[in-house]
Amino acid sequence: MSRTPPAPGGRARTALPVLALTMASAVFLVSGCSGAGEPKSAGPTPAASAPQQMWAPRKPPPPLGEPNSELTDGVPSPVRGLPRVPSGDIHQVSALAVAKARLTTMTSPLDEEGTDEKIKNCKAVGQKSCPVQPPRYRDLNGDGKDELLLGIASGPYFLFLWAFTVKDGQVTLIMDEGERPRSVELSGHDVIVREPADRGYDIRRVYSWDKREQAMSERTFEYVESSRK
C-alpha cells in the first residue's frame, strides 16, 4: 500500500450521520411545607413517538465492505523486535525504539522523503533532524492505562499518526493514519485532527476506540469553520 502523502485537498471519506432520538419527560413541581398547598402537576406528559420511516429501497443494498476495512492493513498488530511488557505499562518502552521497530513491520517505505532512513538514524526524539515528534501518552481505550501516540513528520505538511498499546504483554499498533493537519489534539479518549480544507473551512476528524476492532477508528468526519482567517 502506497504511503505517499496525498495531494493538497486531502482525502475523500464517507461521513456516517448519527441519528438522535429525544424523549420528552414529565416534570412535577412539588411545594414545600404544610400549608403551602398540595403538590401541583406541571401538565400532561407529551406522548412519545417512534421515528417515522419515510423512504426505503425495495431491496436492501449490499454492504459497502467490511466494517472499518481501513484498519485491516496491519491494525491492530503486535510490533516485532520489542521486549515484552508483562506489566502492561507502555512507559517502560522507549518511544524511539517503538518507532524504529514499527518500520520493520512495514512492507513499503513511509514516503519518498527519506523519512524511514531519518528515523533509523535518529538518536533522540525532538531533535531537528529526527522526524519522530515528542511522544504523548493518554488512555485511549478506557482501560486505565496509557497508550503511546507518536507523530512522524514527513516533508513540510504531512504527519503520520501512530498509536500503540500493550496487549497480552506485547506492544501493539492500534492506529496508523496519515494526515495534513492544522492541529492534532487529545480530548478524553479521542484524537482530534483538523486539516485545512477550502473557503474558510477545516476538516475535523475524530478517532475513537473501537472495542470490536480493538483499534482507533475514525468516528467523525465533518467540515467546520476554520479557526484561522
Side-chain angles (χ1 to χ4, degrees):
M1 181 174 120
S2 175
R3 296 278 177 180
T4 304
R11 301 162 297 179
R13 297 193 181 184
T14 302
L16 297 180
V18 178
L19 178 62
L21 175 62
T22 303
M23 301 291 292
S25 61
V27 179
F28 294 95
L29 302 178
V30 181
S31 60
C33 304
S34 61
E38 296 297 326
K40 297 180 180 180
S41 171
T45 304
S49 60
Q52 181 182 11
Q53 180 170 297
M54 297 181 66
W55 301 286
R58 293 186 178 88
K59 184 178 180 181
L64 293 174
E66 292 295 324
N68 295 314
S69 58
E70 292 181 6
L71 299 178
T72 59
D73 186 22
V75 181
S77 60
V79 182
R80 298 188 299 269
L82 292 171
R84 292 186 61 83
V85 189
S87 68
D89 184 2
I90 203 166
H91 291 266
Q92 295 181 357
V93 186
S94 162
L96 182 56
V98 172
K100 290 184 176 184
R102 163 63 181 146
L103 290 180
T104 66
T105 68
M106 303 182 67
T107 58
S108 60
L110 280 172
D111 52 31
E112 299 176 356
E113 303 287 337
T115 302
D116 296 61
E117 287 300 316
K118 292 177 183 178
I119 293 175
K120 293 176 183 177
N121 296 329
C122 183
K123 303 299 182 183
V125 297
Q127 292 182 342
K128 186 176 181 180
S129 59
C130 182
V132 183
Q133 305 302 295
R136 295 291 183 266
Y137 295 90
R138 178 65 65 93
D139 179 8
L140 298 176
N141 61 13
D143 67 353
K145 295 183 178 180
D146 281 343
E147 274 66 53
L148 167 64
L149 186 66
L150 288 180
I152 311 296
S154 171
Y157 307 114
F158 204 69
L159 187 76
F160 294 99
L161 289 178
W162 294 345
F164 305 85
T165 192
V166 177
K167 183 177 181 180
D168 299 327
Q170 291 184 295
V171 176
T172 301
L173 179 71
I174 58 171
M175 180 177 180
D176 182 6
E177 297 289 340
E179 313 284 356
R180 295 176 59 253
R182 185 187 300 281
S183 66
V184 180
E185 301 173 326
L186 287 170
S187 178
H189 302 309
D190 298 334
V191 179
I192 303 173
V193 179
R194 291 179 71 118
E195 295 180 294
D198 194 11
R199 301 182 182 180
Y201 285 89
D202 288 345
I203 296 172
R204 182 176 180 269
R205 307 180 193 271
V206 179
Y207 297 93
S208 304
W209 179 250
D210 188 318
K211 186 176 181 180
R212 181 177 58 184
E213 294 289 337
Q214 292 291 292
M216 295 295 286
S217 173
E218 183 182 286
R219 296 289 192 181
T220 302
F221 176 97
E222 61 184 351
Y223 285 89
V224 297
E225 289 190 9
S226 175
S227 58
R228 299 186 183 183
K229 305 298 183 181

